[in-house]
Amino acid sequence: MSEFQVTARKGKWIVLLVITLVTAGLLSPWASPHPDGLERVAKDHGFIDQAGAVHEWAPIPDYEVAGIPWTAVRVGLAGVIGAGIMAAVLWVSIKGLSSRRGKANAQSHGDGEGRL
């Protein structure tokens, strides 16, 4: 009866989440100021000026939260929001995968009612 389980110790995951969010918030302002891959290629090949404007609905344009006067806080908050979104996506994915596996195991062992 092997059951898929990430861990029974939720406290460990909470501590890891807090460490991740604090690290994202504190280290994001010191990320490299140099352009990333595609932006660097556009700059090197001379077509960076052809880039369009950032979409008006972009949640965090240019990796900064608008409306905050301090650059470090704008960028740090963007890092925390990004890490939080990724943590939520991963949590939902893990929950979905574990519930599917649990149902499949129950059906294969005759413990389920045969419904998905």
Side-chain angles (χ1 to χ4, degrees):
M1 209 190 294
S2 77
E3 182 179 318
F4 178 74
Q5 188 174 16
V6 176
T7 185
R9 299 177 65 191
K10 292 180 183 177
K12 179 173 98 174
W13 289 103
I14 292 170
V15 169
L16 288 173
L17 177 64
V18 169
I19 290 171
T20 300
L21 294 177
V22 168
T23 302
L26 293 177
L27 296 182
S28 292
W30 289 277
S32 175
H34 302 293
D36 61 4
L38 292 175
E39 190 175 355
R40 178 61 191 234
V41 169
K43 189 174 182 179
D44 289 348
H45 292 283
F47 60 89
I48 188 80
D49 296 330
Q50 295 177 2
V54 175
H55 193 277
E56 65 185 50
W57 290 356
I60 306 174
D62 209 21
Y63 304 108
E64 292 185 3
V65 177
I68 299 174
W70 307 284
T71 302
V73 175
R74 284 193 313 256
V75 175
L77 187 56
V80 169
I81 292 169
I85 290 170
M86 286 308 303
V89 167
L90 288 172
W91 183 79
V92 168
S93 299
I94 288 171
K95 285 296 195 183
L97 289 172
S98 65
S99 68
R100 281 188 195 168
R101 184 169 284 182
K103 287 179 183 178
N105 284 341
Q107 286 178 352
S108 67
H109 294 307
D111 297 337
E113 296 180 27
R115 289 181 282 171
L116 289 177

